[in-house]
């Protein structure tokens, strides 16, 4: 069924009667007595919980009671979203991927928010006026705002990951903290050949990386100086593709050479997301590229399992002149947000509710939870309580917050980086500070907007290009084939896949981005 036909049916039904959500909750009628808003939100397998405490706080402040559209059984956000579209029974507010909400908006399923923000959302309007970088992300290709994104706090934190190495092993052998690729190679070779963990076996794995195959490939090539293989970048206002950069070929060659020498984990593509847990507590992992906050926490092994254990962040390695390890910074948004559906009976009420999250109180609530329970105010700033930082049930800080709805992506709100700094240890903070320096971080291409037609083209092309690239990269790194021998064939294949047309489409999106004021 075509969406526009579906939208017509939806709007007609909305005029005739009040719809019900999947759980039978009545939707808002638009009367002053009915302050309910149904919200579609499913995050990491968790549907919005009506009893989350931060939404109770929002109700106290706005008078609006939130009701979850998705049932507790809807743990797959994509499936739940598609079911909602197929049902023609929309929630008042929909939280989902911003590009999908903009597509829905262009088809008539979401209400443009421009005028509503101007008239009824002073906090949002102030935020838009004062933040031109974030403002660009709000406007769809047709100039309308269909969704308010969740924004990262780039003013305080623009990078999340970097290199780590076993600094206690460096000290054991009297080695300096490596600054160049040669120094890192020497250190990892000594770790392996001279039994760094002292167990009598050459079982040290050198470099290990965490994640699925895609993440592993990106982290490996990042260590050796290449951008993530799926990405586009800009030089002198011209869009280019990561794997066509000469640095990419060189980074893959280096990865293959180090793998052959035994300096890269032989299980680099099979350990998955549990790689850190497999190699750090067992005292065999030497070096990685990973998140500062969570990776630095493994230094607690020094007091529980491995005396003297130190796994500290280090500066990006100098590969050669003009080329060093790549750590990619955060973008402005994870492209998750919420907007008001065409089924909403009271858009003014909805935008006022959404506006509260951009107030000082609303932003603090989403970031830090409930005052008195999760944080207290100290010198005008929220400071986490022991309940968050040293939870009696052993839960991590983020888990404690998400259990009450805080730090759950979906609502349009601006994150406050202080939440992450507060529960990060001093080692993680060293990493943040080290990589916040401009020369240590590569910034990603900004969020670009495309027409539905161009999106389909780009997705089709890049699915083929990425599949081709992953196939070749694994063969090259594992030594199944040689990159110099295969290079021309690889370039030919991705050109047949349509990479040149993809670059043109991204250039078009980038030109539009620059035209938005």
């Amino acid at each position: 069924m075509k969406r526009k036909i579906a939208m017509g049916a939806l709007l007609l039904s909305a005029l005739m009667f009040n719809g019900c959500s999947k759980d039978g909750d009545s939707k808002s009628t638009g009367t002053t007595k009915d302050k309910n808003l149904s919200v579609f939100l499913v995050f990491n397998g968790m549907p919005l919980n009506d009893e989350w405490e931060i939404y109770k706080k929002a109700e106290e402040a706005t008078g609006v009671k939130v009701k979850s559209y998705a049932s507790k059984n809807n743990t797959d956000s994509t499936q739940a979203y598609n079911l909602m579209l197929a049902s023609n029974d929309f929630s008042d507010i929909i939280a989902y991927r911003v590009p999908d909400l903009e597509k829905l908006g262009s088809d008539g399923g979401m209400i443009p928010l421009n005028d509503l923000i101007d008239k009824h959302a002073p906090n949002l309007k102030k935020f838009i006026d004062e933040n031109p970088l974030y403002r660009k992300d709000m406007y769809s290709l047709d100039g309308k705002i269909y969704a308010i994104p969740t924004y990262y706090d780039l003013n305080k934190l623009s990078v999340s990951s970097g290199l780590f190495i076993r600094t206690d092993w460096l000290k054991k052998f009297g080695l300096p903290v490596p600054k160049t690729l040669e120094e890192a190679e020497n250190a990892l070779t000594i770790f392996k050949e001279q039994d760094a963990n002292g167990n009598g076996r050459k079982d040290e794995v050198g470099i290990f990386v965490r994640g699925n195959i895609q993440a592993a490939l990106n982290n490996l090539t990042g260590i050796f100086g290449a951008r993530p293989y799926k990405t586009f970048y800009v030089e002198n206002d011209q869009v280019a593709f990561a794997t066509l950069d000469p640095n990419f070929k060189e980074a893959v060659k280096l990865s293959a050479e180090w793998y052959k020498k035994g300096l890269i984990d032989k299980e680099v593509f099979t350990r998955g997301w549990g790689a850190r847990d497999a190699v750090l507590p067992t005292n065999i992992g030497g070096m990685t590229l990973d998140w500062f906050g969570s990776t630095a926490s493994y230094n607690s092994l020094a007091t529980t399992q491995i005396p003297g254990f130190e796994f500290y962040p280090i500066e990006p390695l100098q590969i050669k002149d003009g080329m060093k390890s790549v750590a990619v910074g955060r973008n402005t948004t994870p492209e998750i947000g919420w907007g008001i559906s065409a089924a909403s009976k009271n858009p003014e009420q909805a935008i006022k509710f959404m506006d509260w999250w951009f107030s000082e109180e609303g932003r603090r609530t989403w970031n830090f939870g409930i005052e008195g329970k999760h944080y207290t105010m100290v010198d005008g700033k929220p400071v986490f309580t022991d309940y968050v930082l040293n939870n009696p049930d052993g839960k991590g800080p983020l888990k404690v917050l998400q259990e009450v709805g805080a730090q759950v992506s979906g609502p349009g709100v601006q994150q406050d980086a202080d939440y992450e700094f507060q529960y990060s240890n001093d080692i993680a903070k060293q990493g943040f500070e080290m990589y916040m320096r401009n020369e240590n971080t590569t910034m990603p291409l900004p969020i670009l907007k495309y027409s539905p037609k161009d999106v389909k083209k780009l997705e089709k092309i890049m699915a083929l290009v990425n599949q081709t690239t992953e196939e070749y990269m694994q063969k090259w790194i594992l030594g199944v084939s040689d990159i110099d021998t295969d290079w021309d064939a690889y370039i030919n294949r991705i050109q047949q896949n349509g990479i040149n047309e993809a670059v043109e489409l991204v250039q078009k999106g980038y030109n539009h981005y620059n035209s938005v004021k």
Side-chain angles (χ1 to χ4, degrees):
M1 181 186 298
K2 292 182 178 179
R3 184 72 49 74
K4 288 185 179 179
I5 296 175
M7 286 300 103
L10 168 65
L11 296 175
L12 179 61
S13 66
L15 290 170
M16 294 176 64
F17 62 93
N18 293 331
C20 294
S21 76
K22 296 300 176 186
D23 290 336
D25 296 320
S26 62
K27 292 184 178 176
S28 60
T29 63
T31 67
T32 55
K33 293 181 180 179
D34 188 350
K35 286 286 190 174
N36 284 2
L37 282 176
S38 59
V39 178
F40 172 89
L41 190 158
V42 181
F43 169 78
N44 281 2
M46 298 186 300
L48 184 149
N49 186 329
D50 303 344
E51 300 303 314
W52 276 343
E53 291 177 58
I54 71 164
Y55 287 93
K56 296 292 185 183
K57 182 70 174 178
E59 183 180 355
E60 292 175 11
T62 66
V64 172
K65 183 176 178 59
V66 164
K67 302 295 289 183
S68 176
Y69 174 96
S71 74
K72 294 178 181 179
N73 297 323
N74 289 134
T75 57
D76 185 313
S77 61
T78 301
Q79 183 182 66
Y81 179 76
N82 289 334
L83 284 172
M84 180 174 62
L85 294 189
S87 73
N88 278 343
D89 179 27
F90 286 23
S91 58
D92 295 298
I93 292 176
I94 302 175
Y96 197 60
R97 294 184 64 252
V98 170
D100 291 277
L101 296 181
E102 291 182 343
K103 169 64 170 63
L104 187 59
S106 68
D107 287 344
M110 302 294 289
I111 296 174
L113 305 179
N114 306 53
D115 290 341
L116 287 169
I117 291 172
D118 285 341
K119 296 176 182 176
H120 306 290
N123 297 305
L124 259 170
K125 183 171 174 53
K126 182 173 184 288
F127 177 81
I128 293 171
D129 290 343
E130 293 179 353
N131 294 278
L133 181 65
Y134 295 134
R135 180 169 65 239
K136 282 175 175 279
D137 296 324
M138 270 195 204
Y139 289 91
S140 64
L141 203 61
D142 63 9
K144 297 175 182 176
I145 299 173
Y146 294 110
I148 309 301
T150 300
Y151 286 109
Y152 292 127
D153 187 359
L154 297 186
N155 292 325
K156 295 179 182 176
L157 184 61
S158 60
V159 64
S160 299
S161 60
L163 293 175
F164 281 76
I165 197 167
R166 283 292 297 271
T167 49
D168 57 322
W169 287 355
L170 293 175
K171 294 173 183 176
K172 178 178 181 177
F173 297 109
L175 298 170
V177 173
K179 295 181 179 180
T180 67
L181 188 68
E182 291 77 12
E183 289 174 348
E185 181 177 13
N186 180 57
L188 295 180
T189 301
I190 289 175
F191 290 172
K192 186 175 184 64
E193 296 300 322
Q194 298 188 29
D195 191 21
N197 60 21
N199 67 358
R201 300 190 300 271
K202 293 182 180 181
D203 55 354
E204 293 78 6
V205 300
I207 290 177
F208 66 94
V209 290
R210 182 173 63 102
N212 55 21
I213 290 175
Q214 291 80 15
L217 290 170
N218 279 336
N219 285 337
L220 266 187
T221 51
I223 291 171
F224 292 102
R227 295 177 177 86
Y229 70 91
K230 295 183 178 182
T231 59
F232 296 87
Y233 64 98
V234 171
E235 285 187 351
N236 300 319
D237 281 336
Q238 294 300 306
V239 170
F241 185 56
T243 70
L244 301 179
D245 181 349
N247 285 352
F248 170 79
K249 182 179 179 182
E250 188 160 348
V252 175
K253 287 182 74 170
L254 287 168
S255 298
E257 290 171 8
W258 282 38
Y259 185 86
K260 186 176 181 180
K261 293 176 181 178
L263 301 181
I264 294 176
D265 184 11
K266 292 296 182 184
E267 299 179 50
V268 65
F269 297 128
T270 57
R271 289 196 195 272
W273 292 104
R276 286 184 312 194
D277 292 326
V279 305
L280 290 179
T282 56
N283 207 19
I284 60 175
M287 180 177 171
T288 195
L289 190 157
D290 210 327
W291 300 101
F292 292 121
S294 57
T295 306
S297 69
Y298 282 82
N299 284 280
S300 63
L301 292 171
T303 57
T304 57
Q305 294 175 246
I306 308 170
F309 180 95
E310 288 183 358
F311 200 50
Y312 278 32
I314 62 171
E315 302 264 357
L317 297 172
Q318 190 70 35
I319 312 298
K320 64 176 185 179
D321 288 343
M323 181 179 173
K324 61 183 180 180
S325 300
V326 171
V328 179
R330 285 177 168 174
N331 218 315
T332 48
T333 168
E335 292 193 272
I336 302 294
W338 61 8
I340 304 171
S341 83
S344 175
K345 308 300 186 302
N346 195 334
E348 290 183 13
Q349 176 181 291
I351 197 65
K352 289 176 181 178
F353 172 77
M354 294 163 67
D355 183 62
W356 178 77
W357 299 95
F358 278 85
S359 70
E360 184 177 329
E361 181 185 37
R363 185 185 182 203
R364 190 169 64 243
T365 300
W366 186 84
N367 278 281
F368 296 96
I370 305 301
E371 186 172 3
K373 179 179 180 179
H374 300 101
Y375 73 90
T376 57
M377 297 299 291
V378 179
D379 297 329
K381 295 182 179 181
V383 176
F384 283 131
T385 63
D386 235 28
Y387 179 75
V388 174
L389 298 177
N390 299 291
N391 185 261
D393 297 323
K395 298 172 184 174
L398 190 56
K399 176 69 171 175
V400 174
L401 293 172
Q402 289 181 343
E403 284 183 344
V404 298
Q407 293 296 337
V408 170
S409 292
V413 72
Q414 188 188 12
Q415 200 169 58
D416 187 332
D418 283 341
Y419 98 92
E420 191 168 353
F421 289 137
Q422 283 193 39
Y423 67 72
S424 297
N425 63 28
D426 290 341
I427 298 168
K429 290 173 184 176
Q430 288 179 28
F432 288 132
E433 293 169 2
M434 188 182 293
Y435 281 74
M436 282 285 282
R437 295 194 286 272
N438 290 335
E439 70 274 10
N440 283 345
T441 302
T442 299
M443 298 311 295
L445 196 69
I447 304 295
L448 305 182
K449 308 288 183 175
Y450 305 98
S451 69
K453 181 180 177 182
D454 287 349
V455 167
K456 286 184 179 179
K457 278 186 183 178
L458 197 55
E459 287 178 345
K460 182 178 180 180
I461 291 170
M462 293 314 298
L464 293 172
V465 170
N466 293 337
Q467 182 181 9
T468 298
T469 303
E470 290 162 13
E471 173 190 328
Y472 273 97
M473 285 180 74
Q474 288 182 78
K475 290 194 299 184
W476 291 330
I477 292 171
L478 296 177
V480 176
S481 61
D482 178 71
I483 190 170
D484 287 326
T485 302
D486 292 345
W487 187 251
D488 289 343
Y490 165 70
I491 295 298
N492 186 52
R493 269 190 63 181
I494 64 171
Q495 287 176 340
Q496 290 176 350
N497 293 154
I499 190 58
N500 293 335
E501 184 180 4
V503 169
E504 291 174 3
L505 291 172
V506 177
Q507 184 73 57
K508 180 179 175 182
Y510 181 71
N511 292 342
H512 174 266
Y513 174 86
N514 283 336
S515 72
V516 177
K517 303 302 181 185

